[in-house]
Amino acid sequence: MNPLRPTRIALTGRSTTLRLAAGALAATFLLGACGGGGGGGGAAPDTTTGNTTPGTVRTPDPIPNDYQAYANLCAHPRSGVDAITGQTFLDRQGTLQDEMRFLRGWADRNYLWFNEIPSNFYMADFTSTLDYFDRLKTPAVTASGKPKDQFHFTYTTAEWNALSTASQETGYGVTWAVSSSTVPRNWIVAMVEPNSPAAAAGVQRGDMLATVDGIDVVNARGDAAVDTINAGLYPARSGETHRFGLRRGSATLEVSLGAAVVTSASVQNARVIDTPTGKVAYLTFNDFNATAEKQLIDAFTMFKGQQVNDLVIDMRYNGGGLLGIASELGYMVAGPVSAGQTFERLIYNSKTAPGAPFPFATKAYGYTAPNPASSGQALPYLGLKHVTVLTTADTCSASESVINGLRGIDVQVDIIGGATCGKPYGFTPVDNCGTTYFSIEFQGVNAKGFGDYADGFAPTCTVADDFAHTPGDTSEGLLAAALAYRTSQACPTSRASAVPLKLVRPAAKAIKVLAPAR
């Protein structure tokens, strides 16, 4: 399903919308009934008659030979300049079918499984490009019964530019974790962004959500109640204010949160931990976006100055992002031994000639971002042969590329936490008429040719996420287990989670993208 648009999940009497976003890009549950998705659109036509007069056979839509001829031909063209990039919109007057012809031609040329796209649906039956795009993917399933393509989605281009370039979104600065989408619901605060409205109001990791604007989140049923909850959880604009009831232990707290444009920090809690066996560097890393580049450089410069001999990268909530940032991080871990080696080789469809392997980056690409790193700046490195990564099911895509890339050059990577999400695939974002489309273009393999981890990387030690402590606290379950394992080589007991939690947030993603460096 389109991760930014309705994906139905059973909810008592209703349905739940699961959205995945980027920049970063995890999951947002909107409680509420979902029809055909955003903007209407036709149901899939009958495979024989195509929803026409019984007995009439329709000819499949032709696939444009030159899809670029339809680029920027828009039913509702934009004018002016993009507020984030400063670039003039290229939109021209066109039609809805021009937009769909662009998508169909692009998919036929670039989609990894282009020859598995069904031909039993028709542009004329759709009133929304988003609904049409939802159909431009393989319907196949894996041996385990999962959809072969679980990562097919869109952003508005404005949202994507704000998230990927400036790490900004409108909200309260809260990331939720959920163990159940059905009554009784269980929502827990997983992260609070520093300097956000939630942080200013005193919201803390581990707080449980009880009410939104007076409505019982745990047990609410009915359209009106669910709509009220949705309106509070996902404010439409900056300045909206909503009331939240939270449980903290035996106490009940009432907070009023005003939505604002929140800028998230991709790298947090960078510190050096003194242990009996040496100095261990730690950092929380949440997004492979443009702003992360300089933040990682600053953190690793500090680590190098303190002569650390081991590293823990906390990517439990990192859904991915720019592959270039992942290659930089890999070099900053491994150092010169990785220079000139393959970080990831990209395997495209049969219509695309193989490109040069994606190397471990020894210098900063200089991605455009607020307070960017200098293009060509030599990257600091630690030169380690061992690293520990903290993971959950929300560790995805570019995060998994770091694990796979380092293992490809024989760096030992211990994984503490839960199995990762399983996404060896990636995209190049495609902007057209105000929508940015993400459709799988390649599978990545490491220097040894390995890239078959669609079921995720299994943890070295299975440990439950610990909501009673903040990431970076040496008493927090995953970090404590990591520090213990590096000396004892023994996994802790009774740390496995019986009920895994899934991230729920507006800015979420399962993304690995290629983007031009500046």
Side-chain angles (χ1 to χ4, degrees), residues 232-507:
L233 286 173
Y234 308 110
R237 64 191 62 83
S238 182
E240 280 189 31
T241 300
H242 296 273
R243 294 178 293 109
F244 294 81
L246 302 169
R247 294 196 185 101
R248 185 178 301 164
S250 59
T252 299
L253 310 173
E254 286 280 343
V255 296
S256 179
L257 297 180
V261 176
V262 177
T263 301
S264 60
S266 301
V267 176
Q268 300 179 21
N269 308 316
R271 58 174 300 197
V272 175
I273 302 167
D274 288 313
T275 76
T277 55
K279 294 183 176 182
V280 179
Y282 168 90
L283 75 161
T284 308
F285 184 36
N286 293 328
D287 286 299
F288 288 85
N289 58 15
T291 65
E293 187 174 44
K294 187 174 187 304
Q295 294 173 25
L296 285 170
I297 290 171
D298 291 345
F300 275 80
T301 299
M302 184 268 287
F303 294 156
K304 188 174 181 68
Q306 295 203 33
Q307 299 180 317
V308 302
N309 58 14
D310 209 347
L311 171 67
V312 177
I313 308 175
D314 190 340
M315 294 196 289
R316 74 184 77 187
Y317 302 143
N318 194 323
L322 293 165
L323 188 57
I325 300 294
S327 73
E328 291 180 355
L329 176 56
Y331 174 78
M332 285 189 268
V333 172
V337 68
S338 67
Q341 298 209 53
T342 294
F343 175 75
E344 184 160 294
R345 181 167 56 87
L346 309 182
I347 300 173
Y348 292 88
N349 67 26
S350 59
K351 297 183 179 183
T352 305
F358 212 87
F360 283 84
T362 62
K363 297 179 180 179
Y365 286 107
Y367 289 102
T368 301
N371 192 26
S374 299
S375 177
Q377 174 184 350
L379 297 174
Y381 61 85
L382 301 182
L384 301 176
K385 292 294 292 180
H386 171 267
V387 64
T388 302
V389 179
L390 308 186
T391 65
T392 65
D394 294 292
T395 304
C396 202
S397 203
S399 297
E400 294 171 299
S401 289
V402 173
I403 295 170
N404 200 44
L406 288 172
R407 286 180 170 175
I409 59 168
D410 295 320
V411 172
Q412 180 182 340
V413 182
D414 290 330
I415 299 175
I416 306 296
T420 62
C421 89
K423 184 176 174 289
Y425 309 113
F427 336 75
T428 301
V430 176
D431 301 337
N432 195 57
C433 299
T435 300
T436 299
Y437 298 91
F438 296 83
S439 190
I440 291 174
E441 289 180 72
F442 60 84
Q443 179 178 1
V445 299
N446 65 17
K448 296 181 178 181
F450 178 76
D452 295 323
Y453 51 88
D455 288 323
F457 288 110
T460 309
C461 295
T462 300
V463 181
D465 201 355
D466 176 5
F467 293 95
H469 299 87
T470 58
D473 183 340
T474 55
S475 298
E476 188 275 321
L478 270 66
L479 180 54
L483 295 174
Y485 184 82
R486 64 181 290 274
T487 56
S488 68
Q489 299 298 293
C491 294
T493 58
S494 66
R495 291 260 190 192
S497 176
V499 182
L501 299 175
K502 186 68 178 174
L503 280 194
V504 190
R505 59 178 179 174

Side-chain angles (χ1 to χ4, degrees), residues 67-141:
Y67 69 91
Q68 291 288 7
Y70 297 97
N72 306 310
L73 287 174
C74 310
H76 303 287
R78 298 163 297 169
S79 61
V81 176
D82 186 285
I84 297 293
T85 67
Q87 297 177 348
T88 301
F89 295 126
L90 301 177
D91 298 5
R92 297 169 292 154
Q93 186 62 57
T95 67
L96 187 66
Q97 288 209 357
D98 287 333
E99 294 185 40
M100 287 188 270
R101 291 186 186 103
F102 171 82
L103 292 173
R104 186 65 188 91
W106 185 93
D108 183 68
R109 179 62 181 80
N110 296 290
Y111 184 56
L112 183 60
W113 303 293
F114 70 94
N115 55 348
E116 298 179 25
I117 297 174
S119 60
N120 62 340
F121 58 94
Y122 308 90
M123 296 179 191
D125 293 321
F126 291 86
T127 58
S128 163
T129 56
L130 302 184
D131 292 322
Y132 181 72
F133 178 72
D134 277 348
R135 301 296 301 280
L136 293 175
K137 64 179 180 179
T138 176
V141 297

